[in-house]
Amino acid sequence: MAQGGAMLAAVLKRLGEETKPGVQTIELDVLARKLIIGAGAKPAFLNYRPAGAKKAYPYTLCVSVNDVVVHGQPSKYKIREGDIVSLDLGLEYKGFYLDSAITVPVGDVGKQGKKLIEVTRESLMAGVKAAKPGHTLGDIGAAIEKTIVRNKFSVVEGLTGHGIGRDLHEDPTVFNFGRKGQGEELVPGMVLAIEPMVAIGTGAIRQLLDESYGTADGERAAHFEHTVAITEKGPRILTML
């Protein structure tokens, strides 16, 4: 999984560099597929049908712009100066799945937009830091929530992280809120996709026609994610260069 995670991190880094004004989001999807296959892995999202979805997902990459939180479908939309673009990507390597996401500011996204991205990244790292043996899922959620609320943003409602390994989505559910000491205990060998999603507004969501999720109030959101292994020595981020 560490090998696959390094591949995924490299692909996301390249995609982030290519997220520029004038680039169509479908171009990023084509590049993502090319890079994953070229690395000897398989796209995890392509033709994947999550529980409750009406149809399989037809792309390799999720591109969510501004008020779209997750599962945004690539299209002919041209990225603009000031957009906040979240890139969510997964791959399968030697029978194991990896999942990661970054949010990219395109040019000047304003003081609030810049802080939103910084706080979302910070909340992810707070959650990772709490992912130690003997801690609980509630410790992860509490650390994420504390970081978000302290900075006067909102946890996006109804969307969570998850276990990952032989399947893309496994138990347990990893909430972005919680209470210390509550929930399932973390033990060495567990692998979690920790993924805070943060909104400027209320955090309430709505499902869009393409089955993506956007903020109910139209405010901007950000998303960061790492696949993290629980080891005896503490958390190990698998999706980092």
Side-chain angles (χ1 to χ4, degrees):
M1 290 188 77
Q3 290 176 328
M7 291 178 183
L8 181 54
V11 173
L12 267 179
K13 181 176 184 293
R14 174 73 184 281
L15 293 175
E17 293 167 351
E18 296 298 325
T19 302
K20 305 172 183 177
V23 173
Q24 293 182 339
T25 57
I26 192 67
E27 294 178 73
L28 297 176
D29 179 74
V30 171
L31 178 59
R33 190 177 314 178
K34 178 182 176 181
L35 292 174
I36 288 174
I37 293 172
K42 300 176 183 177
F45 296 173
L46 183 62
N47 296 321
Y48 178 72
R49 185 176 180 180
K54 295 178 182 177
K55 54 186 178 181
Y57 189 71
Y59 301 102
T60 294
L61 177 70
C62 294
V63 187
S64 303
V65 182
N66 295 327
D67 62 317
V68 180
V69 184
V70 289
H71 303 169
Q73 295 195 12
S75 68
K76 292 183 179 180
Y77 174 81
K78 289 185 178 181
I79 296 169
R80 303 169 184 169
E81 175 83 15
D83 279 347
I84 289 177
V85 182
S86 296
L87 307 174
D88 188 2
L89 186 64
L91 62 73
E92 179 193 353
Y93 181 67
K94 294 185 177 180
F96 288 94
Y97 287 86
L98 288 305
D99 197 357
S100 188
I102 59 174
T103 296
V104 181
V106 181
D108 184 6
V109 297
K111 184 177 179 180
Q112 191 178 44
K114 184 178 178 181
K115 185 178 180 183
L116 170 70
I117 294 170
E118 290 173 350
V119 168
T120 307
R121 186 189 292 108
E122 183 184 339
S123 70
L124 169 59
M125 298 315 296
V128 170
K129 188 176 179 180
K132 301 176 181 178
H135 283 199
T136 67
L137 289 170
D139 290 320
I140 295 175
I144 291 171
E145 182 181 21
K146 181 179 179 181
T147 303
I148 295 168
V149 173
R150 183 181 68 228
N151 286 281
K152 299 182 180 179
F153 291 113
S154 298
V155 176
V156 170
E157 300 170 6
L159 300 172
T160 69
H162 51 92
I164 187 170
R166 291 287 186 185
D167 292 306
L168 181 58
H169 291 101
E170 299 180 349
D171 290 332
T173 298
V174 183
F175 292 98
N176 293 316
F177 60 89
R179 293 186 179 181
K180 289 184 178 181
Q182 293 191 352
E184 185 175 341
E185 183 178 347
L186 305 177
V187 297
M190 293 177 72
V191 184
L192 306 174
I194 302 174
E195 51 177 320
M197 290 151 276
V198 182
I200 289 175
T202 65
I205 59 171
R206 60 193 176 97
Q207 190 168 26
L208 306 177
L209 292 176
D210 63 359
E211 296 193 358
S212 64
Y213 289 94
T215 58
D217 58 9
E219 289 284 5
R220 293 177 294 175
H223 177 208
F224 280 91
E225 177 182 15
H226 273 311
T227 296
V228 181
I230 313 301
T231 78
E232 293 180 354
K233 295 181 179 180
R236 179 182 177 186
I237 300 174
L238 302 178
T239 46
M240 182 177 280
L241 289 173

